[in-house]
């Protein structure tokens, strides 16, 4: 296998330097926004020693990974740029990371600070560990770093606490996943797999399709299933949710006209469509100001930046 690239994340944050510095360098504040860590605490030190720290990451089922690190140095330049160099490692048998290092850099501008990180690490478990890292772990930890940077941005720019950002993100994408599953089920099962269970009779009762009800139902099923996938991948697009609400009403009204008894039927499609409209409205209302890894740059810019190139700290 060829060499893998270090993790790199960069984001412009509308904040002054001191606030950003405090929320990234203070352990109690850092652990609030960084998805990678559950706990960070400084270890005692003397005046001439680098600051050492211990970190903990809970991975579920009562398991956790612990590691240690140290601030290897902090560099300040005349233009106000700051660079904090870190070393870290873990002796935990559950940790894929054995040791690593990197930096955080803060480049001030008139109304914002460019906040960036670059880090790399060595893995354990030999070839298997390197393969897992390349295929899954490195993309995941890179995404978590970028997502966390954007959560920090929302905290500084919008005043949204990190815990609230996480809750809103989970609720939004949980609703989106549920809606996608409902659209897929309604498109595949009653329309494509088991049309005889009732959907075909309903379509015939409308009298609109003159013997082509089966084909029409199949087309509707494919469209609903495709729309379910679209809801999942474009859940933050309010236009998608608006179209869904229109479509659900367009499906419910003819069904009720063709069979007025549906309003009182058990598991009425009228009730289901109304509930889905409510969920789409909730997902649309919660689609703004959610943290997203896509807001970050994942490669160093080619042009030279104030404070030096993004890759001029060697690990």
């Amino acid at each position: 296998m060829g060499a893998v690239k270090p993790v790199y994340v960069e984001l412009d944050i509308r904040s002054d330097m001191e606030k950003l510095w405090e929320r990234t360098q203070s352990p109690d504040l850092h652990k609030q926004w960084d998805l990678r860590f559950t706990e960070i605490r400084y270890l005692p030190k003397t005046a001439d020693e680098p600051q050492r720290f211990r970190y903990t990451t809970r991975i579920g089922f009562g398991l956790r990974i612990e590691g240690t690190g140290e601030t290897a140095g902090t560099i300040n330049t005349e233009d106000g740029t700051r660079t904090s160099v870190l070393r870290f490692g873990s002796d935990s048998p559950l940790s894929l990371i054995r040791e690593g290092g990197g930096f955080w850099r803060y480049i001030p501008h008139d109304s914002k600070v460019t906040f960036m990180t670059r880090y790399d690490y060595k893995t354990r478990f030999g070839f298997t560990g390197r393969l897992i890292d390349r295929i899954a772990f490195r993309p995941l930890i890179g995404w978590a770093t970028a997502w966390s940077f954007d959560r920090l941005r929302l905290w500084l720019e919008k005043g949204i606490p990190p815990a609230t950002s996480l809750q809103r993100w989970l609720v939004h994408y949980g609703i989106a996943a549920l809606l996608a599953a409902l659209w897929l089920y309604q498109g595949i099962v009653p329309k494509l797999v088991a049309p005889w269970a009732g959907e075909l009779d309903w379509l015939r009762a409308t009298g609109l399709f003159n013997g082509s009800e089966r084909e029409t139902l199949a087309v509707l099923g494919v469209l609903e299933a495709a729309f379910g996938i679209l809801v999942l991948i474009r859940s933050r697009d309010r236009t998608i949710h608006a179209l869904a609400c229109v479509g659900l009403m367009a499906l419910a009204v003819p069904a009720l006209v063709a069979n007025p008894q549906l309003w009182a039927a058990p598991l009425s499609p009228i009730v289901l469509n109304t509930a889905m409209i409510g969920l789409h409205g909730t997902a649309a209302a919660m689609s703004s100001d959610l943290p997203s890894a896509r807001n970050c740059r994942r490669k160093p810019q080619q042009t030279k930046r104030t404070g030096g190139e993004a890759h001029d700290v060697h690990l």
Side-chain angles (χ1 to χ4, degrees):
M1 293 187 298
V4 294
K5 294 182 179 180
V7 176
Y8 181 87
V9 177
E10 178 182 328
L11 182 63
D12 294 332
I13 300 177
R14 292 193 302 273
S15 171
D16 63 70
M17 175 70 80
E18 296 308 322
K19 285 184 179 180
L20 178 57
W21 182 265
E22 179 188 23
R23 295 192 187 183
T24 54
Q25 296 292 327
S26 170
D28 289 339
L29 298 176
H30 179 187
K31 68 182 181 182
Q32 292 185 45
W33 59 266
D34 200 330
L35 196 63
R36 298 168 297 172
F37 305 107
T38 306
E39 183 181 356
I40 306 170
R41 61 183 184 276
Y42 280 164
L43 299 176
K45 75 179 188 72
T46 60
D48 57 344
E49 290 180 330
Q51 179 62 64
R52 301 181 68 247
F53 59 88
R54 180 173 294 277
Y55 64 86
T56 302
T57 303
R58 294 191 180 95
I59 58 176
F61 307 103
L63 302 175
R64 63 182 187 177
I65 294 172
E66 292 187 343
T68 58
E70 68 177 36
T71 302
T74 300
I75 305 168
N76 299 309
T77 62
E78 293 182 358
D79 63 4
T81 296
R82 301 180 187 180
T83 303
S84 177
V85 183
L86 305 172
R87 301 285 180 184
F88 55 86
S90 175
D91 294 327
S92 171
L94 296 174
S95 176
L96 183 65
I97 295 176
R98 180 159 50 89
E99 61 179 354
F103 67 81
W104 281 355
R105 176 165 293 158
Y106 311 71
I107 304 176
H109 305 279
D110 292 337
S111 60
K112 64 184 180 182
V113 178
T114 298
F115 181 42
M116 66 177 68
T117 186
R118 176 180 178 268
Y119 61 91
D120 203 357
Y121 51 83
K122 297 178 181 179
T123 60
R124 48 171 50 92
F125 313 127
F127 174 81
T128 301
R130 293 192 296 274
L131 182 63
I132 293 172
D133 178 58
R134 176 185 290 270
I135 294 174
F137 185 77
R138 190 170 294 251
L140 179 61
I141 200 170
W143 173 88
T145 303
W147 188 92
S148 298
F149 270 39
D150 202 43
R151 182 159 66 149
L152 172 63
R153 178 189 64 81
L154 290 170
W155 192 14
L156 287 164
E157 294 184 357
K158 306 281 188 175
I160 302 174
T164 300
S165 285
L166 177 59
Q167 291 168 359
R168 295 180 70 251
W169 187 86
L170 289 173
V171 170
H172 173 83
Y173 283 102
I175 291 175
L178 174 59
L179 285 168
L182 289 171
W183 279 103
L184 284 165
Y185 177 87
Q186 289 298 317
I188 295 172
V189 177
K191 293 181 176 63
L192 299 178
V193 177
W196 40 262
E199 294 268 352
L200 192 57
D201 292 337
W202 160 76
L203 206 59
R204 286 170 178 160
T206 64
L208 298 176
F209 300 99
N210 298 320
S212 60
E213 290 86 359
R214 186 64 182 263
E215 293 78 8
T216 302
L217 194 63
V219 171
L220 284 174
V222 171
L223 290 175
E224 285 190 13
F227 191 77
I229 297 173
L230 186 62
V231 167
L232 188 61
I233 63 177
R234 296 291 301 276
S235 67
R236 296 184 63 173
D237 188 341
R238 294 187 176 185
T239 302
I240 298 298
H241 296 293
L243 289 173
C245 292
V246 172
L248 287 165
M249 287 186 286
L251 290 170
V253 172
L256 189 58
V257 171
N259 185 3
Q261 299 302 319
L262 282 177
W263 72 271
L267 301 177
S268 167
I270 307 302
V271 174
L272 175 62
N273 285 21
T274 302
M276 289 179 68
I277 289 172
L279 288 173
H280 275 291
T282 303
M286 300 186 68
S287 63
S288 61
D289 293 332
L290 295 177
S292 174
R294 288 179 293 182
N295 290 331
C296 297
R297 295 180 286 275
R298 301 299 306 276
K299 295 181 180 179
Q301 297 189 36
Q302 296 301 314
T303 56
K304 195 164 185 175
R305 309 179 63 90
T306 303
E309 293 288 352
H311 56 271
D312 63 0
V313 173
H314 301 285
L315 307 182

